[in-house]
Amino acid sequence: MLLLQAPSLKGQRLKHAFTTRKGGQTPAPFDSFNLGRHDAAVDHWNDAMDNRKRLCAALEVPFADLRVPGQVHSKRVVFAEDAQQLKEVDAVATVSSNVPVLLHYADCVPIIIFDPRRSALAVVHAGWRGTAAMIASEAVTALVNRAGSEAWDLIAAVGPAIGSCCYPTSAEAAKSLASTVTDGELFITLREGQPCPDLRAINAMQLLERGLSTVDVSDLCTACNPDIFYSHRQSGGMTGRQGAIACLI
């Protein structure tokens, strides 16, 4: 399987990866390493579970303790220690070792936030609604309040997601996104008169303005690379899900 890692998180006391669509046996159109259970077919559900097990085995983290929320494009952040059922959650944090956290994506922005001093992490799913609601900043606040983190100590990695090259939105959505950061209009490109926000850059700026000193940002666009990534926009909605996974060790 093809797994990507953020330079700033390598060598830290956690295991992490941004997955791709490469390395599984899932049939088309979800080929070949789909981790999502968004399709109702039983075979697809079983296949996604098998792929999750393979991912955990590859990273040498316990599948039995894997935490996977039901994502709804909210700004809700929940600690894995607080709930067995993670319904309507788009960011999961933990202060426990050997508790892997996995969230799914198919263009939305995957973010891993890690505190190397206090051994805490959060994995965030930020679509345009979550980005407009500043869910990444909400995750930082959760780590500060629960783990005693200092924002300056946190390391964040923004993974592959749809780029402004492939993401036309409404003027209302673009305005909401731009309002979340200083000079936010600089992160909105006009293409044929339609605004195209850079969701990765906006999330990164939200984190930097929240006080983080280190934020890695992937330059890979999921829609431009359908051979490597699942993309909801590029596929017309018929596609699988890659993941961002992290586990304290």
Side-chain angles (χ1 to χ4, degrees):
M1 69 186 65
L2 175 61
L3 304 178
L4 307 178
Q5 294 190 315
S8 63
L9 294 180
K10 289 183 179 180
Q12 301 286 351
R13 291 190 59 79
L14 87 163
K15 296 182 178 181
H16 82 284
F18 297 105
T19 74
T20 68
R21 68 186 302 163
K22 300 286 191 179
Q25 298 179 340
T26 307
F30 299 159
D31 51 316
S32 66
F33 195 62
N34 172 51
L35 297 171
R37 300 178 69 183
H38 54 291
D39 187 271
V42 173
D43 288 347
H44 289 157
W45 277 49
N46 291 337
D47 179 74
M49 292 300 289
D50 288 342
N51 286 336
R52 293 177 187 181
K53 289 177 183 178
R54 295 176 65 187
L55 174 61
C56 288
L59 293 175
E60 297 182 330
V61 298
F63 171 75
D65 296 315
L66 181 68
R67 307 306 303 275
V68 184
Q71 299 164 205
V72 292
H73 296 279
S74 70
K75 67 172 185 177
R76 188 177 178 213
V77 183
V78 172
F79 272 81
E81 292 82 356
D82 294 342
Q84 290 298 313
Q85 297 293 325
L86 298 172
K87 296 181 178 180
E88 300 184 351
V89 172
D90 286 270
V92 178
T94 185
V95 293
S96 300
S97 59
N98 297 314
V99 177
V101 174
L102 171 67
L103 275 75
H104 300 125
Y105 314 81
D107 283 336
C108 294
V109 182
I111 306 167
I112 298 172
I113 305 172
F114 173 60
D115 184 342
R117 290 189 61 189
R118 291 162 186 81
S119 192
L121 69 80
V123 183
V124 180
H125 165 260
W128 84 260
R129 290 180 179 84
T131 302
M134 301 183 69
I135 187 172
S137 181
E138 293 285 331
V140 171
T141 298
L143 291 173
V144 169
N145 291 342
R146 174 69 171 265
S149 298
E150 298 284 350
W152 184 259
D153 292 329
L154 298 175
I155 300 169
V158 178
I162 196 166
S164 60
C165 50
C166 300
Y167 193 55
T169 62
S170 68
E172 181 181 0
K175 183 178 180 180
S176 296
L177 291 164
S179 69
T180 65
V181 294
T182 304
D183 296 326
E185 65 276 3
L186 297 177
F187 303 103
I188 312 293
T189 302
L190 282 179
R191 299 183 186 278
E192 299 180 354
Q194 191 163 10
C196 300
D198 187 336
L199 292 181
R200 288 169 296 177
I202 293 170
N203 277 282
M205 283 303 301
Q206 289 177 4
L207 290 167
L208 290 169
E209 292 186 352
R210 183 63 176 77
L212 274 69
S213 59
T214 303
V215 182
D216 271 348
V217 185
S218 171
D219 62 358
L220 293 170
C221 171
T222 47
C224 284
N225 296 278
D227 56 326
I228 302 173
F229 300 109
Y230 299 110
S231 170
H232 187 272
R233 284 283 181 111
Q234 187 277 335
S235 69
M238 185 61 69
T239 194
R241 301 290 186 269
Q242 55 252 349
I245 185 171
C247 182
L248 299 170
I249 57 175

